[in-house]
Amino acid sequence: MASPTSTVVLITGANQGIGFEIAKKLAREQPNYHVLLGSRNPERGQQAAAKLQAQNLSVEAITIDVCSDSSIAAAAKFVEEKFGKLDVLINNAGIGLDDKHQAGEKTLRDTMLETYNTNIFGAMVALDTFAPLLEKSLVPRVVFMSSSLGSFGRNFLDGLQHPVYRSSKTTLNMLCFTYAQMYRERGWKINACCPGYVATNLTDFMGGGTVESGAVNAVRLATLGVDGETGTYSNKEGLIPW
């Protein structure tokens, strides 16, 4: 469990998929890390945390819905009262709804509103809300879970697919880049991470990669030291052009 010297990490959307794997990998490889496993649904969060606690990993569930300002504020209050700081924020919660729009299940406007509310507004409000607690860390680290689909510097054969999701990740990259410059002089490490095309609920389990591979770079960025990079966009193979 957490000690006064523990590195405290919060991962949003961590009760399944890549977020859960990041929590497991961090807690397993970094014994001094205490991982707050964020979940919108308290019961699912507790169940996910229990799986890792059964492996004697320092993990606990925290309820946080990034689409709710009050939920984010309540989570920040919990972290402040229990730990007094936050060392790492991993903005992992994200959705992709283009397929539902194409199937006629959602209007384009609703698809955009819901996608941006989670992928952009949620990440931005989370960082803004937790910034005072991150300021209390010796090395504040923020990881934005992005996608290479948001890159202007790459060409893709499927370039006309998933325009809403793709544009949300491009926007997320700009947020990452902007915040990295804002907090650079304060020593913050703020980076964007692409996990790759991973088989998760988000991809209808069609991705070719594993959740284990998708967690590698996020864990690296979450453990950066004072000399670590900031303002980068990368996957486990290296840098991605913006």
Side-chain angles (χ1 to χ4, degrees), residues 85-166:
K85 64 164 185 173
L86 182 66
D87 297 289
V88 183
L89 171 63
I90 302 180
N91 277 314
N92 171 73
I95 57 174
L97 301 174
D98 290 74
D99 290 345
K100 291 185 179 297
H101 166 58
Q102 292 167 5
E105 298 175 26
K106 289 184 178 291
T107 67
L108 177 58
R109 186 174 297 277
D110 285 345
T111 300
M112 294 187 69
L113 287 171
E114 291 180 37
T115 300
Y116 273 69
N117 195 28
T118 298
N119 296 2
I120 303 304
F121 308 155
M124 194 171 187
V125 174
L127 176 51
D128 185 72
T129 303
F130 281 95
L133 293 174
L134 286 160
E135 285 279 19
K136 297 179 180 180
S137 173
L138 293 177
V139 186
R141 281 144 285 178
V142 179
V143 181
F144 287 92
M145 293 303 290
S146 183
S147 168
S148 60
L149 291 179
S151 170
F152 275 114
R154 285 190 173 181
N155 295 314
F156 295 92
L157 296 177
D158 65 340
L160 299 180
Q161 294 183 17
H162 314 298
V164 178
Y165 177 80
R166 187 185 293 265

